[in-house]
Amino acid sequence: MGKEKSKSGPLARRPDNSAFKQQRLPAWTPMLTASTVLPSFYLLALICMLLGVWLLLTVQNTQEMKVDYTEAGSCNLCFEMRKNVSNAGQKCTCMIMFSIEKAFKGDVFIYYGLRNFHQNLRRYMDSRDDGQMLGRKSNLKSPSSYCKPFDVDEKGVPIAPCGAVANSMFNDSFILTYYTINGPTVVPLLRKGLTWYTDKNVKYRNPKMDNLTLPEVFEGTTRPPYWQKPVYQLDPFDPNNNGFINDDLLVWMREAAFPNFKKLYGFLYRANKPFTKGLPAGNYSVAISYNFPVQYFKGRKEVVLTTVSWFGGQNHFLPIAYLVTSGLILLTAVVLTVVWWKFGKDGKNMAD
Amino acid sequence: GTLTWRGNKYSLDNGKMLLRGCILRNTEWCFGMVIFAGLQTKLMQNCGKTKFKRTTIDKLMNTLVLWIFAFLICMGVILATGNTIWETWIGRGFEMFLPWTKFQIGTVFSGFLTFWSYIIILNTVVPISLYVSVEVLRLGHSFFINWDVKMYDCQTNTAAVARTTTLNEELGQVEFIFSDKTGTLTQNIMVFSKCSINGTIYGDVYDEFGHRKEITEKTACVDFSYNLLSDGAFKFYDNTLVEAVKQKDSAVQEFLRLLALCHTVMSEESEGKLVYQAQSPDEAALVTAARNFGFAFWSRTPESITVCEMGQVVTYQLLAILDFNNTRKRMSVIVRDAQGRIKLYCKGADTIIFDLLDPSSKDLMHTTSEQLNEFAGEGLRTLALAYKDLDEEYYDVWMKKFLFVSTVLENREDQLAALHEEIERGMKLLGATAIEDKLQEGVPETISKLNLADIKIWVLTGDKQETAVNIGYSCNMLRDDMTDVFVVSGHTLTEVQQQLRKAKERILSLSRVSDARNDEDNDIFADDSVFEEAIITEYALVINGHSLAHALEPQLEIVFLDLACLCKTVICCRVTPMQKAQVVELVRKHKRAVTLAVGDGANDVSMIKTSHIGVGISGQEGMQAVLASDYSFAQFRYLQRLLLVHGRWSYFRMSNFLSYFFYKNFAFTLVHFWYGFYCGFSAQTVYDQWFITLFNIVYTSLPVLAMGLFDQDVNDQNSLRHPSLYKSGQNNLLFNKRQFFLCTVHGMTTSFLLFFIPYGAFSVMVKEDGSHSSDQQTFAVTIATSLVIVVSVQIGLSMHYWTAVNHLFVWGSLAMYFVILFAMQSDGLFGVLPNIFSFVGAARNCLSEKSVWLVILLTTAVCIVPDLFVRSIRASLFPTQTDRVRQLQQSCKRQRPEEQNLRRACRTSSRRSAYAFSHQEGFGELITSGKNMRTSRVSSTCSYERTAPSSKWIENVIKRTNAVSCISFGSPNKQHQS
């Protein structure tokens, strides 16, 4: 700092008289005055109000149906059966009846919901190997240590997909039946296209095939201990929906942020009658292949049917939050108006 | 000790010492050897310890960081306890899906591990980058000080230099200024400004209507070109005096002759010009004035003085010099002129001279006395001049007595004094001179500004009391409208104690009276500290070095300090450098206020080092003060800009910066805390690792830095025009523990809203295409985006001054966030390191969602509106001074700001100061003894060979005075500091 500049002359050390160095840069100096704050408050209140009303109206048009089948009806037996670990291999199916009073119009989505299942525990979330699921051969044969204790089985054979997340994959399946006058009709469900494009095409890849079949590629690996089928047999109908790019697996692998969550199971195939306009009102049943044990963690399982609007599924939180916010902003705006109206004169004379 | 050189022994005594810090004057070089160096020198021993200076905000910051640390540990404990409980009740059931590892033995141990995990996750709440950023800001502020063209002095070609980069915001909190006088307040230049000769005042300029005009730069000077010997630097504005000289007015001639003869100035020729070497600048000014008016002192020998009177060389025989000393307060010379007449010329303090006058001068004395009052009122130093014609016989008799007394061993001083007085009786008054002790430019304005900013200015000077008081008056520090000026000059502890007590009682009683009139309730004033605020009338305290030594003793220091703080102005005169430091230390210790010391010489180094902030004036007196200082510049008046503009801005910026920084870190980090309650206290982070890494470094660092560097609430002109804006810094209003608490609460609230609004939305949210979107990655991206937007809006609200750089940084940071977000979650990076960039696609899928944007919008609105509301309410209901000035500034933005002109008030004063002498005995003896001249050769050419006699002369001076005085040999006003 004490350095002299190379310039010489009587004013050699004179600092530059530039706007920057003299802190005279042209600047915008906004001030919180009544004329700037009040309109923005009212405007903001108005925007929130309009959004809130619009969202509320939209939400009114969506429908949602939740069926908790944890212990309901015949599922009680399955629930009891799953309490015993030794019965894990046995199959158990049960059926729940429900009715829809008002038709679900448009696209209908079917979810499975879990309560009290913590997919967001740190060790749980870390217990996966993205390299393996990207199809890296080296990771396939020697999974990341994060997957412990689900990296290799007792014999030291690597598990694919490894880790606690994959191991705990939800494995109940549903068959939805609509009871018309003509008799029961199975509600056709699309079970593909449930995931993000990036998940299906970027994040998860099967290992390179090199003219091998999928089971051959996965040779030398074993299925996760809680699974009944290996990863290459997850979808018995569509061979392209197997391995690490199985939609159900992908949906499960996208860990939920909170312990109560629902994940997409499938959506209504609307090509044939009577489902072209959605789900008609009437009686339905859902047949459940009851595999997933929830009693250990006091969890609940449910099937959720819902229609969506432009901003997603039925979501009462947003419109209400917007309306409340709008009200509060309006209140503060009114308080401010009163304050300025009463003390405005002081404000103008503040300069003295 | 002795020095043996070439077989000869030379004694080395005190008189041959040149102390460190001396400046050679009147000689160009001298031989020397180093005897003691470094810490053993007197200067260094006087310096006191060098302390590591830290600002109050620095200390506060350290405390706060400790608090934050404690808070962090608290959060860790809470979450760890939560983890233990959760693992006990819920986690056990989940063991099937997530078995415990071999390390995780039990729930308590799991809690213990969680504690450390959370300490790591939440460590961003401890602002580590804060320290770096603060240093960057301070460096920037220092550069702005260095770059300030308004603190650059063209004459000396020096710009202000911030030599320390760590104290800038402290400049905005100064409460006490300790100032040196000579070289700091004054230029140490004496200017002959007026005189009264035979009852006529010369030196005023009148316009055509007979009104007195203010002398400005533009006023035409008297043209001295007719006088070949005139000194070009001398300026006088009144032509009448020159005319009087030309008309050979006898009184005027005698007056000037006196000035040319009665002094102890030495002359020499340098580069063909006559140069005077004077013991004090006052004398030089007088002799130079005489020279310009045609009575040029040419040369002197021990027995003669040669004067060039109106072009004619006249040699006077110098019979005696009756020298100046502190009791006599006058000096006389006895000369025999060419005609053989013997004359005594005397100059001295008016009170003394008036007592010695012949009754015939009585009328003149009255007129002169009035004129002297007038001079004194203008803050000029005055001297009365008188002469006396002596009979040859009378003189012979007196001379015999004088010679006899000079050899008497006992009581010689007293007898000499009596003799002097005898011959000086019955003088005739010639007139009076008025010398202006030139203040540095803008000193009174600066002092009044600083006073308005509630900064107390204490003058600590080595000068004697009269000079100091005189300067006090001319700087507006002392005024006639002050209720009382207390002078403490006791020589013993008890005397000083009594004087201090008396002064304090007087202040208290007076204020009590005046308050009682206003307020019936007297009881509130029991407490002195309350009282300090209640004092309306102004007092001043003058204390000298002896008394100060007593006042600084432990039993008196509190009394002294209390009294001093009750007074508007405090002047300490004749203090040693060590005492200066002690006074500063006293205030530092007991008042907990920020102190600033300003000085220019080596004797100020100790106080500069002791005070919180040391300011060095880079003047003529060497570099010691500057080298020891934290800031240095060339003129005292730059102090107002340094404090009121740079200091205030610096403090303001730093406060805003810190508030925002703490807010930002709390808002950012505590989200993890809230998430802990939903993820089983498992130390799961909300955000992506990359976001955590980059948030403080990339996404939010630049806007806040721009704010810390460029923000201005009020521009510099208004800062100077409204010095009261400065008070917020002194009272520590902008950043204190309360402020810290508020901004952390604000940060916590923001984090709460940032977490729970998306939580509320996400727990029920389904994407537009039906797929679930309540996954952790979407949640993370949503919260991170909301957070970046909220803190960006928040900094927008905090910024008062949006330069292009601010715009660039704020918008740039936002843009940067999105760019990096998409880059980090791109396919390419994921392909390289899948386990590290596992957020692939999250941003694309999440931010293309309308509902996510609805959540972000809602979160932003909810986080910002309360703050905006509070700010607006505060601005309208409890506007600060700053708000007012800002509004004023806004309203008259288009008008050209006009410089406020603080003119020095014209004072009428009954006080006068008449000391145009140094406060030490003069060189009279030296001159008459002839020791200072090489031979007694009468030199009409005035060309001495300089080195030999000069060095001898100095030698003699050193012999006569004590060794220390040679520090200030060239500036005698400072001699008594040791």
Side-chain angles (χ1 to χ4, degrees):
Chain A
M1 250 171 280
K3 239 189 259 172
E4 281 183 44
K5 289 171 194 161
S6 52
K7 287 190 287 180
S8 58
L11 299 178
R13 266 175 269 169
R14 182 193 172 94
D16 297 341
N17 193 7
S18 60
F20 174 71
K21 289 191 173 182
Q22 301 311 319
Q23 308 192 53
R24 277 189 276 103
L25 286 177
W28 174 52
T29 53
M31 262 195 88
L32 294 179
T33 55
S35 56
T36 55
V37 173
L38 277 185
S40 58
F41 266 60
Y42 282 113
L43 190 70
L44 200 58
L46 188 71
I47 291 173
C48 287
M49 173 97 67
L50 290 177
L51 269 176
V53 170
W54 187 15
L55 292 180
L56 197 61
L57 290 177
T58 319
V59 164
Q60 298 299 333
N61 290 330
T62 62
Q63 276 169 297
E64 193 177 61
M65 177 87 198
K66 277 185 188 171
V67 182
D68 186 326
Y69 66 91
T70 321
E71 307 170 68
S74 58
C75 290
N76 198 16
L77 291 172
C78 293
F79 180 73
E80 294 300 325
M81 191 170 128
R82 293 282 170 241
K83 272 187 179 169
N84 196 338
V85 187
S86 58
N87 295 334
Q90 292 180 28
K91 287 197 171 156
C92 182
T93 44
C94 57
M95 190 182 280
I96 303 274
M97 302 292 296
F98 63 95
S99 63
I100 292 174
E101 263 114 55
K102 209 178 153 199
F104 279 45
K105 280 178 190 149
D107 288 336
V108 179
F109 296 83
I110 293 136
Y111 303 84
Y112 59 90
L114 277 175
R115 298 192 155 266
N116 213 17
F117 188 93
H118 284 79
Q119 264 202 318
N120 57 3
L121 298 180
R122 184 176 53 82
R123 282 193 306 118
Y124 181 89
M125 290 187 83
D126 287 347
S127 185
R128 58 189 288 164
D129 186 350
D130 284 323
Q132 190 191 43
M133 299 195 79
L134 183 59
R136 296 257 161 105
K137 282 266 166 71
S138 53
N139 295 52
L140 185 69
K141 294 288 150 67
S142 55
S144 152
S145 59
Y146 280 105
C147 288
K148 274 176 185 172
F150 301 108
D151 53 344
V152 288
D153 67 359
E154 314 84 76
K155 287 172 234 151
V157 184
I159 296 172
C162 75
V165 186
N167 184 46
S168 59
M169 184 178 156
F170 186 79
N171 52 2
D172 286 2
S173 56
F174 313 107
I175 297 164
L176 214 57
T177 314
Y178 174 50
Y179 295 91
T180 55
I181 313 141
N182 307 332
T185 317
V186 172
V187 177
L189 290 182
L190 273 177
R191 301 270 282 112
K192 267 177 279 180
L194 310 177
T195 62
W196 293 356
Y197 173 84
T198 47
D199 281 357
K200 185 98 179 168
N201 295 289
V202 181
K203 194 170 179 183
Y204 300 97
R205 309 299 305 145
N206 276 326
K208 275 209 184 102
M209 308 285 250
D210 299 331
N211 297 328
L212 299 173
T213 57
L214 206 54
E216 282 168 335
V217 171
F218 281 100
E219 209 171 273
T221 63
T222 184
R223 61 187 162 88
Y226 294 175
W227 286 18
Q228 278 132 12
K229 291 179 279 186
V231 68
Y232 46 84
Q233 287 171 8
L234 281 174
D235 190 341
F237 309 108
D238 183 358
N240 292 329
N241 192 23
N242 269 321
F244 292 147
I245 51 170
N246 177 270
D247 272 15
D248 289 336
L249 176 63
L250 264 49
V251 165
W252 182 255
M253 291 303 284
R254 189 149 281 284
E255 297 122 331
F258 299 102
N260 302 331
F261 58 88
K262 56 178 188 264
K263 284 176 186 278
L264 190 58
Y265 182 77
F267 40 92
L268 179 68
Y269 183 63
R270 286 166 56 193
N272 306 319
K273 282 206 166 180
F275 304 112
T276 45
K277 284 183 182 168
L279 281 183
N283 290 329
Y284 290 83
S285 75
V286 56
I288 300 138
S289 152
Y290 199 110
N291 297 315
F292 198 74
V294 291
Q295 67 281 4
Y296 301 107
F297 53 92
K298 302 186 187 77
R300 312 291 298 176
K301 301 195 280 191
E302 60 195 11
V303 175
V304 184
L305 301 172
T306 174
T307 60
V308 296
S309 61
W310 62 267
F311 75 101
Q314 193 172 50
N315 187 344
H316 286 285
F317 176 83
L318 271 184
I320 291 169
Y322 265 104
L323 287 176
V324 169
T325 309
S326 148
L328 289 177
I329 296 174
L330 198 64
L331 189 72
T332 55
V334 168
V335 170
L336 273 183
T337 317
V338 170
V339 164
W340 259 308
W341 189 61
K342 263 199 145 171
F343 301 94
K345 273 178 191 167
D346 297 352
K348 266 164 208 157
N349 297 337
M350 278 201 303
D352 310 332
Chain B
T2 52
L3 168 72
T4 315
W5 191 55
R6 291 187 182 169
N8 292 330
K9 276 194 171 180
Y10 301 93
S11 73
L12 295 177
D13 52 12
N14 247 349
K16 295 194 173 68
M17 293 285 235
L18 284 173
L19 293 178
R20 182 177 165 184
C22 293
I23 292 157
L24 282 184
R25 292 276 170 93
N26 307 336
T27 183
E28 307 219 317
W29 49 270
C30 73
F31 288 112
M33 61 176 184
V34 176
I35 298 178
F36 289 111
L39 291 175
Q40 286 154 324
T41 56
K42 185 160 187 169
L43 186 77
M44 293 301 280
Q45 302 213 330
N46 242 332
C47 268
K49 272 184 224 149
T50 309
K51 288 182 201 156
F52 179 66
K53 292 183 179 180
R54 283 215 328 241
T55 65
T56 6
I57 283 199
D58 244 344
K59 288 175 205 153
L60 179 63
M61 222 160 76
N62 288 345
T63 324
L64 295 182
V65 167
L66 282 181
W67 284 11
I68 293 179
F69 215 84
F71 178 70
L72 171 66
I73 287 171
C74 277
M75 287 196 296
V77 168
I78 292 171
L79 292 165
T81 319
N83 182 264
T84 306
I85 295 168
W86 188 88
E87 287 287 353
T88 313
W89 295 103
I90 303 164
R92 272 184 204 286
F94 205 67
E95 229 175 307
M96 179 198 167
F97 297 112
L98 190 68
W100 287 357
T101 59
K102 52 182 177 242
F103 303 111
Q104 210 169 346
I105 307 152
T107 52
V108 176
F109 188 69
S110 155
F112 175 75
L113 290 180
T114 309
F115 172 78
W116 293 110
S117 307
Y118 269 114
I119 294 292
I120 294 167
I121 287 174
L122 298 174
N123 81 73
T124 43
V125 83
V126 181
I128 296 161
S129 60
L130 180 72
Y131 284 94
V132 182
S133 313
V134 162
E135 289 309 313
V136 170
L137 285 196
R138 286 178 180 157
L139 186 69
H141 296 169
S142 304
F143 271 113
F144 280 128
I145 291 174
N146 293 347
W147 285 335
D148 195 338
V149 86
K150 285 177 185 156
M151 282 164 63
Y152 166 80
D153 186 42
C154 319
Q155 275 150 17
T156 51
N157 184 25
T158 36
V161 179
R163 298 171 39 83
T164 328
T165 56
T166 52
L167 295 174
N168 293 318
E169 75 270 4
E170 194 96 320
L171 288 173
Q173 300 185 280
V174 174
E175 275 181 66
F176 287 89
I177 293 181
F178 299 93
S179 172
D180 177 37
K181 186 190 77 68
T182 318
T184 307
L185 296 177
T186 65
Q187 297 177 336
N188 203 17
I189 294 175
M190 302 298 160
V191 178
F192 180 84
S193 93
K194 281 178 193 183
C195 60
S196 146
I197 304 172
N198 209 7
T200 317
I201 292 185
Y202 298 97
D204 285 331
V205 185
Y206 295 92
D207 59 17
E208 54 266 43
F209 308 108
H211 298 299
R212 185 127 59 110
K213 281 202 297 195
E214 193 82 5
I215 289 172
T216 61
E217 295 284 310
K218 287 175 197 153
T219 316
C221 300
V222 171
D223 182 20
F224 288 112
S225 55
Y226 68 91
N227 185 347
L228 293 175
L229 285 171
S230 64
D231 182 354
F234 182 80
K235 283 192 173 119
F236 202 72
Y237 300 95
D238 188 4
N239 273 308
T240 50
L241 184 57
V242 180
E243 276 150 29
V245 176
K246 283 180 183 163
Q247 285 159 16
K248 305 216 161 132
D249 183 325
S250 69
V252 171
Q253 288 203 339
E254 200 70 356
F255 180 90
L256 293 172
R257 190 172 291 130
L258 188 153
L259 292 183
L261 289 173
C262 181
H263 57 78
T264 56
V265 173
M266 307 293 297
S267 70
E268 64 181 58
E269 200 174 288
S270 126
E271 293 160 14
K273 278 181 185 164
L274 195 56
V275 176
Y276 291 141
Q277 300 290 359
Q279 189 197 10
S280 79
D282 305 57
E283 282 212 301
L286 290 175
V287 178
T288 309
R291 165 181 168 180
N292 273 36
F293 288 111
F295 284 76
F297 163 64
W298 187 282
S299 70
R300 71 156 77 236
T301 69
E303 288 94 27
S304 72
I305 298 175
T306 310
V307 177
C308 183
E309 286 183 6
M310 306 302 288
Q312 292 172 312
V313 177
V314 183
T315 303
Y316 291 88
Q317 194 185 346
L318 180 61
L319 299 172
I321 295 181
L322 313 180
D323 206 356
F324 175 86
N325 70 28
N326 261 333
T327 42
R328 280 166 48 74
K329 294 183 174 173
R330 62 189 183 269
M331 91 168 263
S332 307
V333 288
I334 302 172
V335 292
R336 192 196 302 272
D337 66 12
Q339 285 80 38
R341 285 174 301 195
I342 299 178
K343 275 189 173 166
L344 179 140
Y345 292 109
C346 179
K347 66 177 179 185
D350 45 23
T351 42
I352 305 282
I353 301 271
F354 286 177
D355 285 344
L356 297 170
L357 287 183
D358 194 68
S360 62
S361 307
K362 202 152 197 178
D363 288 341
L364 182 57
M365 192 179 98
H366 284 305
T367 356
T368 312
S369 186
E370 272 167 31
Q371 289 162 347
L372 280 172
N373 285 344
E374 195 181 313
F375 293 159
E378 288 162 38
L380 303 171
R381 301 187 188 208
T382 55
L383 272 184
L385 311 184
Y387 79 103
K388 183 180 174 185
D389 292 310
L390 295 179
D391 292 339
E392 190 83 32
E393 298 88 56
Y394 177 77
Y395 171 71
D396 282 343
V397 173
W398 182 83
M399 198 60 201
K400 271 177 196 139
K401 276 197 249 172
F402 182 72
L403 288 174
F404 171 73
V405 168
S406 309
T407 55
V408 165
L409 287 174
E410 274 176 32
N411 228 356
R412 185 169 57 186
E413 299 288 318
D414 291 345
Q415 293 190 35
L416 270 177
L419 256 181
H420 286 159
E421 196 166 331
E422 182 194 321
I423 200 165
E424 284 164 344
R425 280 209 175 278
M427 293 186 293
K428 285 178 187 132
L429 186 63
L430 269 173
T433 59
I435 287 179
E436 188 184 349
D437 186 356
K438 266 221 138 145
L439 291 178
Q440 297 229 357
E441 265 177 75
V443 166
E445 290 86 343
T446 306
I447 286 179
S448 57
K449 280 254 174 73
L450 295 177
N451 263 330
L452 283 176
D454 265 4
I455 303 176
K456 293 202 170 76
I457 302 175
W458 294 19
V459 174
L460 308 179
T461 174
D463 283 5
K464 57 179 191 153
Q465 192 176 318
E466 285 83 353
T467 337
V469 169
N470 191 9
I471 289 303
Y473 275 97
S474 48
C475 307
N476 267 352
M477 294 180 67
L478 299 175
R479 283 184 303 272
D480 279 338
D481 56 0
M482 281 183 157
T483 317
D484 214 339
V485 177
F486 305 109
V487 178
V488 178
S489 54
H491 281 272
T492 62
L493 189 67
T494 39
E495 262 181 81
V496 174
Q497 190 168 13
Q498 276 173 355
Q499 284 173 334
L500 291 176
R501 290 261 155 82
K502 214 184 273 173
K504 196 176 171 188
E505 272 161 28
R506 188 165 146 69
I507 297 181
L508 297 186
S509 62
L510 268 181
S511 329
R512 203 160 278 154
V513 168
S514 63
D515 280 315
R517 252 181 267 141
N518 300 334
D519 195 341
E520 294 295 303
D521 191 10
N522 281 9
D523 298 336
I524 348 163
F525 300 110
D527 187 17
D528 278 1
S529 58
V530 175
F531 212 71
E532 203 173 305
E533 315 294 321
I535 286 172
I536 320 145
T537 44
E538 293 178 348
Y539 298 90
L541 175 71
V542 178
I543 187 165
N544 66 25
H546 296 294
S547 314
L548 192 62
H550 295 300
L552 289 176
E553 305 228 337
Q555 65 264 43
L556 270 189
E557 58 178 22
I558 298 296
V559 183
F560 168 63
L561 188 66
D562 283 349
L563 176 66
C565 291
L566 290 174
C567 295
K568 186 109 180 160
T569 303
V570 178
I571 296 178
C572 304
C573 28
R574 304 191 78 155
V575 291
T576 64
M578 209 58 210
Q579 279 182 323
K580 289 185 180 189
Q582 282 168 347
V583 173
V584 175
E585 186 60 41
L586 179 72
V587 175
R588 248 190 105 136
K589 205 162 65 189
H590 294 290
K591 291 309 267 187
R592 305 190 72 201
V594 179
T595 56
L596 180 145
V598 50
D600 73 322
N603 53 351
D604 306 315
V605 169
S606 60
M607 87 174 165
I608 283 175
K609 282 189 178 170
T610 319
S611 60
H612 289 99
I613 305 165
V615 174
I617 304 279
S618 42
Q620 297 95 26
E621 288 205 50
M623 291 297 284
Q624 272 96 356
V626 171
L627 289 177
S629 67
D630 305 310
Y631 298 90
S632 75
F633 40 72
Q635 294 275 332
F636 181 79
R637 67 167 191 272
Y638 297 151
L639 196 59
Q640 61 173 323
R641 196 169 167 82
L642 185 71
L643 296 184
L644 299 184
V645 178
H646 289 286
R648 207 182 71 81
W649 276 350
S650 214
Y651 174 70
F652 164 79
R653 289 165 183 174
M654 193 60 81
S655 307
N656 273 2
F657 173 81
L658 290 177
S659 300
Y660 177 76
F661 214 95
F662 287 122
Y663 157 78
K664 182 185 83 170
N665 276 3
F666 271 76
F668 165 56
T669 311
L670 286 189
V671 173
H672 298 307
F673 179 79
W674 308 121
Y675 193 46
F677 290 89
Y678 293 89
C679 67
F681 306 95
S682 64
Q684 174 60 40
T685 56
V686 176
Y687 317 112
D688 179 10
Q689 280 306 322
W690 288 105
F691 180 78
I692 294 175
T693 314
L694 296 176
F695 177 76
N696 266 333
I697 306 168
V698 181
Y699 303 149
T700 55
S701 64
L702 288 181
V704 71
L705 267 184
M707 178 178 83
L709 283 175
F710 303 116
D711 210 21
Q712 303 177 6
D713 48 350
V714 167
N715 64 23
D716 54 342
Q717 283 153 346
N718 277 322
S719 300
L720 286 173
R721 203 177 297 165
H722 304 276
S724 52
L725 292 178
Y726 192 77
K727 289 173 191 168
S728 60
Q730 292 167 332
N731 302 329
N732 221 352
L733 290 180
L734 297 184
F735 192 78
N736 46 34
K737 286 176 181 157
R738 184 171 164 270
Q739 201 64 35
F740 167 75
F741 182 71
L742 285 179
C743 65
T744 49
V745 167
H746 185 200
M748 282 187 226
T749 321
T750 305
S751 74
F752 184 85
L753 295 170
L754 270 176
F755 178 79
F756 282 99
I757 291 175
Y759 166 73
F762 270 67
S763 56
V764 288
M765 196 147 88
V766 165
K767 275 177 70 166
E768 202 179 336
D769 61 0
S771 64
H772 66 100
S773 65
S774 60
D775 70 287
Q776 204 270 341
Q777 294 189 343
T778 311
F779 185 67
V781 173
T782 312
I783 291 203
T785 310
S786 312
L787 174 71
V788 170
I789 292 175
V790 167
V791 295
S792 296
V793 175
Q794 201 70 48
I795 192 131
L797 286 179
S798 302
M799 256 191 241
H800 299 77
Y801 194 76
W802 286 75
T803 65
V805 184
N806 296 57
H807 278 290
L808 178 74
F809 282 180
V810 172
W811 303 119
S813 286
L814 263 179
M816 189 59 88
Y817 166 73
F818 287 106
V819 168
I820 293 180
L821 180 72
F822 283 100
M824 287 292 178
Q825 306 186 355
S826 66
D827 306 354
L829 279 177
F830 175 76
V832 178
L833 291 167
N835 283 324
I836 293 176
F837 298 99
S838 58
F839 267 61
V840 59
R844 261 175 288 169
N845 286 292
C846 156
L847 296 181
S848 59
E849 211 49 41
K850 292 182 204 81
S851 49
V852 167
W853 283 107
L854 284 174
V855 172
I856 292 173
L857 175 70
L858 182 70
T859 314
T860 312
V862 172
C863 288
I864 296 304
V865 165
D867 183 57
L868 197 62
F869 176 69
V870 170
R871 277 171 198 265
S872 320
I873 282 284
R874 200 189 284 154
S876 58
L877 283 189
F878 316 103
T880 58
Q881 179 77 10
T882 318
D883 292 329
R884 297 198 175 112
V885 176
R886 260 173 79 74
Q887 199 162 53
L888 186 73
Q889 186 177 315
Q890 293 273 321
S891 59
C892 58
K893 211 174 183 179
R894 296 215 176 80
Q895 292 171 339
R896 283 291 300 167
E898 42 196 290
E899 274 302 317
Q900 203 186 23
N901 205 358
L902 263 178
R903 280 186 53 219
R904 212 205 297 187
C906 242
R907 282 170 279 111
T908 51
S909 166
S910 54
R911 170 206 51 84
R912 79 175 81 129
S913 155
Y915 299 95
F917 288 108
S918 80
H919 29 259
Q920 200 180 25
E921 255 171 78
F923 294 145
E925 190 196 328
L926 200 62
I927 288 166
T928 43
S929 69
K931 274 182 189 163
N932 58 330
M933 289 161 211
R934 199 174 57 160
T935 52
S936 50
R937 172 173 70 97
V938 180
S939 164
S940 54
T941 58
C942 299
S943 65
Y944 294 132
E945 282 174 55
R946 224 175 302 124
T947 54
S950 303
S951 59
K952 216 178 166 200
W953 180 41
I954 286 168
E955 217 176 272
N956 288 320
V957 171
I958 293 167
K959 222 178 246 172
R960 281 206 31 207
T961 60
N962 63 23
V964 190
S965 66
C966 82
I967 286 183
S968 41
F969 184 65
S971 56
N973 283 342
K974 294 201 165 191
Q975 278 166 354
H976 283 277
Q977 282 142 356
S978 58

